[in-house]
């Protein structure tokens, strides 16, 4: 993770997550009540006398959300931050509505807290240090095998399959 900007007096940290481990760190740092700012897409419906009620277009917009819920989905490689919009362009008139920010690797975001705790800052610093190469674990048995990678959030299983090795009566097939 790259720390792009830090201003702890104002309670602001801007980061660039680079992989799934970084999203896991952010999942553990972002709390209910924080404000998270990022680019997202939002459907905007046209207003007016002759506007279609179902018609709308999706636009890219920079939003701030006051966090109500944070969820981390390692299978989809994303972090979801749900909350009420606290900052948005005035012409959209969407402040106060709910929105979910999908935080993905290589997309910057800004986290604003009333007070940063020491362990949160330490975790950010730890996540921004260069990492060693991942450890690959291979477990082999006579009936199955598993290949996994040790990550900061746990073990990521890449392949796990059962095999059948010929028995002692089928020595030529071994």
């Amino acid at each position: 993770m790259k720390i792009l900007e830090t201003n702890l007096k104002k309670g602001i940290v801007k980061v660039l997550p680079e992989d799934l481990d970084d999203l896991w760190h952010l999942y553990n740092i972002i709390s209910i009540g924080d404000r998270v700012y990022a680019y997202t897409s939002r459907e905007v419906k046209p207003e007016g006398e002759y506007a279609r009620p179902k018609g709308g277009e999706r636009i890219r917009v920079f939003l701030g959300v006051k966090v109500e819920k944070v969820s981390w989905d390692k299978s989809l490689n994303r972090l979801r931050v749900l909350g009420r919009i606290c900052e948005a362009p005035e012409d959209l008139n969407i402040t106060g509505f709910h929105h979910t920010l999908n935080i993905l690797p290589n997309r910057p975001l800004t986290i604003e807290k009333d007070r940063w705790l020491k362990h949160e800052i330490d975790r950010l610093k730890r996540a921004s240090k260069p990492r060693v190469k991942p450890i690959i674990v291979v477990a082999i048995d006579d009936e199955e095998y598993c290949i996994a990678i040790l990550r900061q959030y746990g073990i990521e299983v890449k392949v796990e399959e059962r095999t059948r090795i010929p028995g002692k009566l089928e020595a030529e097939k071994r």
Side-chain angles (χ1 to χ4, degrees):
M1 178 173 345
K2 291 181 184 174
I3 300 174
L4 304 174
E5 182 183 332
T6 305
N7 188 343
L8 296 178
K9 289 182 181 179
K10 292 183 178 180
I12 296 173
V13 173
K14 186 175 183 179
V15 295
L16 179 68
E18 296 174 316
D19 58 17
L20 197 55
D21 285 332
D22 294 340
L23 295 180
W24 180 74
H25 284 295
L26 290 173
Y27 170 73
N28 288 292
I29 290 171
I30 298 172
S31 306
I32 294 172
D34 294 347
R35 288 152 315 277
V36 176
Y37 303 89
Y39 278 97
T40 185
S41 65
R42 176 90 179 171
E43 186 174 351
V44 178
K45 295 181 180 174
E47 295 179 13
E49 193 175 328
Y50 300 107
R52 291 183 174 176
K54 293 182 183 178
E57 74 174 289
R58 208 156 257 292
I59 60 168
R60 184 172 156 89
V61 63
F62 187 78
L63 293 180
V65 171
K66 186 166 184 175
V67 180
E68 294 177 2
K69 183 180 175 184
V70 182
S71 64
W72 177 62
D73 190 346
K74 68 179 179 179
S75 61
L76 293 177
N77 208 21
R78 70 178 177 190
L79 176 70
R80 293 173 57 87
V81 179
L82 170 80
R84 290 194 181 269
I85 298 171
C86 61
E87 186 177 312
E90 289 182 23
D91 59 329
L92 296 179
N93 199 22
I94 55 174
T95 304
F97 289 96
H98 279 93
H99 188 79
T100 301
L101 295 173
N102 286 318
I103 309 299
L104 301 169
N106 298 314
R107 295 210 181 145
L109 71 141
T110 303
I111 305 166
E112 183 180 344
K113 292 178 171 277
D114 294 328
R115 193 176 123 226
W116 281 85
L117 301 175
K118 184 182 181 323
H119 72 88
E120 294 169 335
I121 296 167
D122 291 343
R123 180 172 223 139
L124 272 177
K125 287 179 183 175
R126 229 182 14 251
S128 68
K129 288 183 181 175
R131 295 190 185 98
V132 294
K133 292 183 179 178
I135 297 173
I136 299 173
V137 179
V138 179
I140 303 173
D141 194 296
D142 60 343
E143 294 181 359
E144 59 188 331
Y145 67 92
C146 179
I147 300 173
I149 299 175
L150 290 180
R151 298 280 186 192
Q152 293 182 13
Y153 58 83
I155 298 172
E156 179 183 351
V157 176
K158 291 293 189 181
V159 178
E160 186 174 16
E161 289 187 17
R162 297 186 63 83
T163 59
R164 185 191 172 286
I165 297 176
K168 64 183 179 181
L169 297 177
E170 301 172 304
E172 67 277 352
K173 292 183 181 178
R174 282 185 149 215

